[in-house]
Amino acid sequence: MPSSDIQTVFPTEADSQVGQYRLFELPPELLKIIEESDPANLDLSIRGRTTDNAVLCTNSKTYNIRAVSVSNTFFVGTSPTYQEEIHSSAVTGDKLVIRDSINQIFELVPCVPKIERFDAMFRGQEYSEQDEDGSDEEEEEDSVDHLLERPLKRRKVTYDDLLADVQASDTELRNALKQSHILSINSHLRPIAPAYLTHILVLVLNTLSTIPSQRSQGKVKIPDITEPLEFEHHIPREVTTQVLEWFGITTNGEWEMDQLEVVKAVGYGTLMKYKERSVDQIQFIDEWAEAVGDAYAEHVGLKILEGNYLSNSTANGVQLKFFPSSELPADPATRFADLFLTRPRWSAEDIVPFLKSIAVDAKERDKLLLKFARPVTENGTVWYTARTTHL
Amino acid sequence: MQIPIRFPNNGQVPNESSSSLTPLPPQLATLGTGEVVLIEMQGSLEVEGDKSNGFIGVLNVDDDKTTMRIGHHLLEGKIASLAKPIAVLRKTETKASNPAAHEAGLDVPVSEPSFDIVSIAKRKIVFSKRPVPIVRYVDLGSSRSKGR
C-alpha cells in the first residue's frame, strides 16, 4: 500500500515554529462554546498579571490553567505550506511536517472569579457625600505608573484597568462591580461608601412611599426617584440611577425594585455600625425594620445577612457583631486561619456562610473543610476546629 | 495583562498564499477539525545534527493499522479518540506599541502575544508500544522466494 504512505519531515529552519504550540484540554462546556459561537465573536482570553497563575476567561466563566507534564511526547504535525511544497522537491508524495513536540498539556478547571483584587485597587477611592458636588479636582497621576503594574493609591481605576488586572470573565466582572456596589463616575470606577449607600436606599424607600402608583404595579419611573433625591437631598442623578440598577430591574425608564436586596443592603449598613461593640439581636432587628419602613419590614430577617455577622448567645440574649466575609482573605488556608483565630470552634451551620465566596460549589466547600478543619461531632452537632499545624 | 485567543479559520476556506497550508492527506483529514495532526509517542525523538527539512520517517495510516517507520525502527499504533478534545493553540505575536508607554513619551514597541486556535483535535494517532527493530527491510515473502 505505498499510496497511503505519508512522509514525515521536519520543517525548513526558516519557518521554525518550535515552542509556539500549546495543547489545551477542553472541558465539554468550553468545547460547545468554541464550536457554536461565531469565530469573530469568540471571546476567549488568558488573564492576569505576569506573576499570577494564568486563568482562561470565556465571556462568562473563569478557568484555572493547570500545566500537566506528560512522559509521552505529542507531536504537532501539519501539512506543508504551499511555499514548503515548492522548495522541498526532494521528497515526493504526501507529507506531514512535524512543527513542534510537546511534553505538557494544559488542563482547564472551573474556578471562582478572582475579584479579591478589587479591594486593593479601590482602596481610598470611595465615593461618599463629600463627592456630591461632582467636581473632579484630583489630577490624573502620570500614566507611567501604570507600567509598574501597581495602581498608586489615588490613581483612578477604569474598566480597562480591571480587565488587565483582575482574573475574571466579563460577565463575572460586571456582576462583581454590581455586587460590590462600584459606581462609574465619568468612566472612573469608585466604590460607594456603605454608609452613603444605606443613606440613599433609605431615601429611595421614603420617596417610594410617597408615590401612589408604586403600590399598584410595582414599577416606578426612574426620574420620579432621581429628581426628588437630587433636589431635596443633593444626591447626583447619575449616582442614584446606578444605585437603582444594582437594586432592581430597569426597563424602558422604569424601575422595579428588588425588595429583598434593598432590605438586605440596609440591614448590612445598619449592621456595619456594630463592628467594635456588639448589639442585641432584637434591638438590631428593630433598628433595621425601622430603617426600611413598615412596607418592607416583612423581609427583615437575619438569614439574608448570613456570612456578615457573628452571633453569641449570652445570658442577656443573642448578641450580634459585624463580621463580613468580604473582608476575609481569599486564600483558603489563611481564611481558615483567620476564622479559627476569631473563634476556636465553629458549628457547621455557622462556618458555611463564610466559605461561600471561596468555593464554587458544596463539593469543593466540603473538600476545603476536610483539608483545613477537623470535624468533631457532639450531641449530633458537627463542630469544626482548626487542624493542628506546626507552622 | 490580557492575552486574546482567536479562532481564525473555523470553517473558512484557506487562501492559497505561499504561507498557508496545503490540504492534509485524506487519510489524516478525519482526525479533527482544522489543520493539525496530533501524534503521541513514548519518549522523545532524538535527532543528531541539523534538523531543518530533515526526513523523519514514513507514516502509514490505514483503517485497521497505523505504523510509523523511523530508520530501522517500526512503531505500531492506532487512531484513538481523545477523552477530552484538545485545542491546539499557536502563539502569534503582533508588534504594537503600549499605549501607556506611548503617552509617557516612551515609544517602546512591545510585542503583544496572542494565541490562535489552529485546531480542535478529537482524535490522535498514538504509538503506545516501544519501537520494534527492523532486521531486514526487504519483504520476507519475496526474499524467501528468491532463496529457492
Side-chain angles (χ1 to χ4, degrees):
Chain A
M1 300 165 288
S3 61
S4 60
D5 278 356
I6 299 155
Q7 321 280 332
T8 51
V9 294
F10 282 118
T12 52
E13 201 66 68
D15 184 42
S16 181
Q17 295 168 11
V18 173
Q20 288 187 355
Y21 287 91
R22 304 282 185 280
L23 302 182
F24 278 81
E25 239 179 38
L26 297 177
E29 73 271 14
L30 194 54
L31 177 72
K32 213 171 141 202
I33 292 172
I34 294 175
E35 286 186 331
E36 287 176 6
S37 65
D38 176 6
N41 297 330
L42 183 71
D43 190 5
L44 283 182
S45 60
I46 296 170
R47 288 187 187 171
R49 299 182 190 166
T50 41
T51 49
D52 288 332
N53 283 328
V55 300
L56 183 111
C57 292
T58 67
N59 199 13
S60 61
K61 272 186 149 172
T62 308
Y63 296 88
N64 269 329
I65 300 178
R66 210 160 60 185
V68 181
S69 292
V70 286
S71 61
N72 284 3
T73 304
F74 279 92
F75 294 101
V76 177
T78 73
S79 53
T81 61
Y82 285 96
Q83 189 154 22
E84 284 171 320
E85 191 69 290
I86 298 162
H87 289 289
S88 66
S89 47
V91 201
T92 52
D94 288 337
K95 272 194 293 292
L96 188 70
V97 186
I98 303 297
R99 305 276 174 197
D100 203 351
S101 66
I102 295 171
N103 288 95
Q104 197 179 46
I105 288 185
F106 294 104
E107 282 181 1
L108 300 170
V109 188
C111 66
V112 288
K114 301 178 185 183
I115 51 166
E116 65 273 6
R117 201 161 271 161
F118 269 28
D119 293 345
M121 291 181 82
F122 290 124
R123 195 164 293 146
Q125 309 244 357
E126 277 192 356
Y127 184 93
S128 64
E129 257 159 300
Q130 291 93 311
D131 298 286
E132 277 175 0
D133 53 5
S135 69
D136 211 6
E137 78 288 347
E138 287 160 37
E139 283 289 302
E140 180 87 23
E141 295 276 351
D142 196 349
S143 53
V144 183
D145 297 326
H146 182 67
L147 295 176
L148 303 173
E149 291 201 53
R150 182 172 54 89
L152 286 187
K153 226 202 228 155
R154 300 300 291 177
R155 206 179 72 81
K156 298 222 170 132
V157 181
T158 64
Y159 188 70
D160 284 343
D161 295 338
L162 286 191
L163 281 181
D165 244 14
V166 178
Q167 296 186 298
S169 65
D170 280 14
T171 311
E172 287 165 332
L173 213 49
R174 289 187 191 281
N175 283 341
L177 285 177
K178 215 173 141 183
Q179 267 163 21
S180 311
H181 303 145
I182 290 165
L183 289 168
S184 169
I185 310 279
N186 304 331
S187 85
H188 287 130
L189 301 173
R190 301 180 65 181
I192 196 163
Y196 185 55
L197 175 65
T198 314
H199 173 63
I200 294 177
L201 287 175
V202 170
L203 291 177
V204 168
L205 291 177
N206 289 341
T207 312
L208 275 180
S209 62
T210 63
I211 305 170
S213 68
Q214 187 265 338
R215 286 266 169 269
S216 51
Q217 37 187 310
K219 283 184 184 174
V220 279
K221 290 202 170 64
I222 289 172
D224 284 351
I225 297 174
T226 55
E227 277 168 16
L229 258 64
E230 180 157 29
F231 299 135
E232 291 164 31
H233 305 282
H234 308 289
I235 291 163
R237 196 172 300 214
E238 54 174 338
V239 173
T240 314
T241 312
Q242 289 181 58
V243 170
L244 293 185
E245 276 167 22
W246 299 335
F247 291 98
I249 303 155
T250 51
T251 35
N252 305 327
E254 285 191 320
W255 180 61
E256 196 178 349
M257 176 166 72
D258 184 337
Q259 300 188 358
L260 198 63
E261 279 301 311
V262 174
V263 172
K264 188 174 160 184
V266 173
Y268 187 88
T270 314
L271 190 60
M272 265 183 65
K273 291 186 278 184
Y274 303 104
K275 190 167 188 168
E276 304 303 330
R277 59 196 172 93
S278 42
V279 59
D280 184 68
Q281 181 172 333
I282 297 161
Q283 187 199 329
F284 168 70
I285 296 281
D286 284 349
E287 195 180 331
W288 182 6
E290 196 184 327
V292 295
D294 291 344
Y296 308 102
E298 50 169 322
H299 297 295
V300 170
L302 276 180
K303 179 85 186 148
I304 58 175
L305 285 180
E306 245 184 6
N308 291 304
Y309 64 87
L310 291 173
S311 67
N312 253 324
S313 302
T314 63
N316 306 327
V318 182
Q319 299 287 314
L320 301 179
K321 214 168 182 183
F322 182 58
F323 185 72
S325 53
S326 59
E327 284 178 15
L328 290 170
D331 168 55
T334 43
R335 174 168 297 205
F336 274 96
D338 259 34
L339 286 172
F340 287 120
L341 272 179
T342 312
R343 241 181 208 193
R345 62 178 216 162
W346 293 76
S347 73
E349 176 189 350
D350 280 348
I351 201 170
V352 159
F354 294 100
L355 305 177
K356 226 186 213 162
S357 54
I358 52 170
V360 276
D361 53 22
K363 204 173 131 199
E364 200 185 317
R365 183 193 68 210
D366 292 345
K367 252 196 296 210
L368 290 174
L369 276 170
L370 216 59
K371 191 170 171 193
F372 295 108
R374 182 194 301 281
V376 183
T377 313
E378 227 171 68
N379 303 330
T381 323
V382 183
W383 293 90
Y384 287 99
T385 56
R387 277 192 180 270
T388 329
T389 49
H390 300 282
L391 289 172
Chain B
M1 179 150 71
Q2 232 196 132
I3 304 169
I5 297 172
R6 301 189 187 90
F7 198 7
N9 45 358
N10 182 23
Q12 282 172 22
V13 183
N15 55 341
E16 296 203 2
S17 75
S18 63
S19 61
S20 66
L21 297 166
T22 56
L24 272 175
Q27 59 270 47
L28 293 179
T30 57
L31 291 174
T33 51
E35 56 196 25
V36 169
V37 177
L38 279 185
I39 300 174
E40 187 185 339
M41 227 178 253
Q42 280 194 13
S44 60
L45 203 57
E46 295 288 335
V47 185
E48 284 173 13
D50 184 19
K51 287 201 286 194
S52 71
N53 221 356
F55 174 74
I56 302 169
V58 178
L59 178 71
N60 185 304
V61 179
D62 237 322
D63 289 340
D64 51 339
K65 202 169 107 181
T66 298
T67 58
M68 173 104 149
R69 203 178 66 230
I70 304 176
H72 292 290
H73 298 285
L74 183 74
L75 284 162
E76 234 178 80
K78 60 175 191 286
I79 294 172
S81 291
L82 289 158
K84 276 185 186 166
I86 288 181
V88 183
L89 271 65
R90 190 180 158 194
K91 194 172 171 182
T92 51
E93 301 214 0
T94 41
K95 289 265 188 288
S97 59
N98 187 323
H102 186 80
E103 273 172 38
L106 309 162
D107 204 359
V108 192
V110 214
S111 65
E112 284 188 355
S114 67
F115 283 96
D116 281 350
I117 300 178
V118 288
S119 166
I120 296 187
K122 292 186 172 152
R123 303 167 85 193
K124 63 183 175 183
I125 301 176
V126 53
F127 298 100
S128 53
K129 289 186 196 133
R130 288 168 177 279
V132 184
I134 305 169
V135 185
R136 268 172 104 179
Y137 175 55
V138 194
D139 188 355
L140 273 178
S142 59
S143 71
R144 204 174 286 145
S145 62
K146 261 183 194 169
R148 270 177 203 165

